[in-house]
Amino acid sequence: MDTHLRDLRYFVAVAEELHFTRAAKRLFVSQPALSKQIGQLEQSLKVELFQRDRRRVELTPAGHKLLGYARELLRQWDEAQQAVAEAARETSL
Amino acid sequence: MDTHLRDLRYFVAVAEELHFTRAAKRLFVSQPALSKQIGQLEQSLKVELFQRDRRRVELTPAGHKLLGYARELLRQWDEAQQAVAEAARETSL
DNA sequence: AATGCTTACGGGTCACGTAATGATT
DNA sequence: AATCATTACGTGACCCGTAAGCATT
């Protein structure tokens, strides 16, 4: 359960590209690093998120389910950061 | 923006206890480690979350704002994990 | 041979615990 | 002196990039 928010960003990128190399480029990370992180995420969830068979990367049902949550979590974290920054600004007025 | 979900758990614990030593005990972490992590979270957000003055730990307005988001994020992550596990179970039936 | 994911490996950063320090009562 | 948070410091784990491996076309 000690997962980085970054792992969710990585996951969303791969889920959207369905292609590790392109996702890695988009994330400005090497492709092996990305592959490893996804692997560890799967391991920590004890679930396969992608189907790598047949020269094709596809989301598993579990992966698809996670995608919705991951996007929402990231969106909410962005919102939280903004809200916190705003609260701090108001305080120091 | 590369924050651990764990940092949010740490933050919530301190916010609820308003006491680093007790929160650390509850988290099974040493108190200096906890103090440092909170400090880094504040630094990464560029915001003070706690007021440490006067032998009293209090939430700042920004901290209070974050608390709501942090709880929600953690709740949602729990939910996501369960949902993913369930999706995987259904798949393998 | 080319494409694309994974495994191996070395190096730098990060998180932790113990110990020391600072500050308040 | 006691309490409680922060700073210092050394160690083990983690993340990354480069290089090598493996499979498919």
Side-chain angles (χ1 to χ4, degrees):
Chain A
M1 204 280 216
D2 61 337
T3 96
H4 242 79
L5 244 8
R6 182 199 46 230
D7 297 336
L8 298 183
R9 272 204 309 288
Y10 284 9
F11 167 71
V12 170
V14 176
E16 286 178 355
E17 299 285 349
L18 293 177
H19 196 281
F20 279 77
T21 305
R22 279 199 300 272
K25 187 160 294 191
R26 176 173 139 189
L27 292 163
F28 300 101
V29 177
S30 77
Q31 187 261 5
L34 177 57
S35 178
K36 186 131 184 242
Q37 287 309 112
I38 296 291
Q40 287 180 197
L41 179 60
E42 290 178 311
Q43 203 166 345
S44 87
L45 291 171
K46 302 187 218 307
V47 164
E48 288 227 326
L49 300 170
F50 296 103
Q51 200 84 29
R52 280 94 154 172
D53 303 348
R54 296 176 305 148
R55 198 167 191 70
R56 197 56 159 293
V57 175
E58 298 264 18
L59 276 170
T60 61
H64 191 263
K65 196 82 184 179
L66 181 60
L67 182 54
Y69 279 101
R71 281 177 169 143
E72 178 61 13
L73 280 158
L74 292 172
R75 194 197 59 68
Q76 216 166 343
W77 176 236
D78 272 3
E79 193 180 319
Q81 286 176 291
Q82 283 185 281
V84 166
E86 169 128 10
R89 255 192 318 104
E90 281 174 7
T91 304
S92 63
L93 287 183
Chain B
M1 204 279 215
D2 61 337
T3 97
H4 241 74
L5 243 9
R6 181 199 49 227
D7 297 336
L8 298 184
R9 272 206 310 289
Y10 284 9
F11 168 71
V12 170
V14 176
E16 286 177 355
E17 300 286 348
L18 292 178
H19 196 281
F20 280 77
T21 305
R22 279 199 299 272
K25 187 159 296 190
R26 176 173 140 190
L27 293 164
F28 300 101
V29 177
S30 77
Q31 187 261 6
L34 176 58
S35 178
K36 188 134 183 237
Q37 287 309 110
I38 296 291
Q40 288 180 197
L41 179 60
E42 290 178 310
Q43 204 167 342
S44 86
L45 291 171
K46 302 187 219 307
V47 163
E48 288 226 325
L49 300 171
F50 295 104
Q51 200 84 30
R52 281 94 154 173
D53 303 350
R54 298 174 305 147
R55 197 168 191 71
R56 197 55 159 295
V57 175
E58 298 264 16
L59 276 170
T60 61
H64 191 263
K65 195 81 184 180
L66 181 60
L67 182 54
Y69 279 101
R71 282 178 168 141
E72 178 61 13
L73 280 158
L74 293 172
R75 194 196 58 69
Q76 216 166 340
W77 177 236
D78 273 1
E79 194 180 320
Q81 286 176 291
Q82 283 185 279
V84 165
E86 169 129 7
R89 257 191 316 106
E90 282 173 6
T91 305
S92 62
L93 288 183

